[in-house]
Amino acid sequence: MAVVAVWKCDRDGAMFDNKKDAEEHDKMLELAANITSLIERHIEGIDEQVGEEIGLLLAKRRDALAKACKGKPEVLLQEESGTEETSDETVTPFAANQ
């Protein structure tokens, strides 16, 4: 029987082939949670699910947002590239029955 090393993200249970990708995903989720908290504190009456979706969107697009804040707002209108967010190829679904 072969042994396969995987890293599991505590926040959402996503599994990764390597530690670097797992840590990057975890940092993105932490940023999303903090953005969601900021939005919910400053926008009265926002739906929790909508706040979370906005938080995730902004966290996934953090590199483009940073460029936009540095004077290149047009980058926000460009299509997302695979390098700006964690590739789904590195995420292995986690099943509780495994």
Side-chain angles (χ1 to χ4, degrees), residues 12-70:
D12 68 354
M15 303 288 279
F16 294 86
D17 297 359
N18 63 63
K19 185 177 179 179
K20 180 183 175 196
D21 289 343
E23 288 176 348
E24 182 66 25
H25 183 74
D26 189 57
K27 287 178 186 178
M28 185 273 302
L29 291 177
E30 181 177 5
L31 177 60
N34 291 342
I35 291 170
T36 299
S37 178
L38 177 72
I39 290 169
E40 289 175 346
R41 283 193 320 263
H42 293 281
I43 301 176
E44 191 173 319
I46 192 164
D47 181 74
E48 183 178 340
Q49 182 178 353
V50 172
E52 288 177 1
E53 289 175 14
I54 293 169
L56 275 172
L57 171 68
L58 296 177
K60 288 178 180 179
R61 300 283 307 202
R62 68 183 178 267
D63 293 336
L65 284 168
K67 289 176 186 176
C69 290
K70 292 179 182 178

Side-chain angles (χ1 to χ4, degrees), residues 64-78:
L65 284 168
K67 289 176 186 176
C69 290
K70 292 179 182 178
K72 295 184 179 185
E74 65 276 2
V75 298
L76 294 177
L77 302 177
Q78 297 171 357

Side-chain angles (χ1 to χ4, degrees), residues 73-87:
E74 65 276 2
V75 298
L76 294 177
L77 302 177
Q78 297 171 357
E79 289 295 319
E80 294 179 42
S81 69
T83 59
E84 289 186 11
E85 52 182 288
T86 304
S87 172

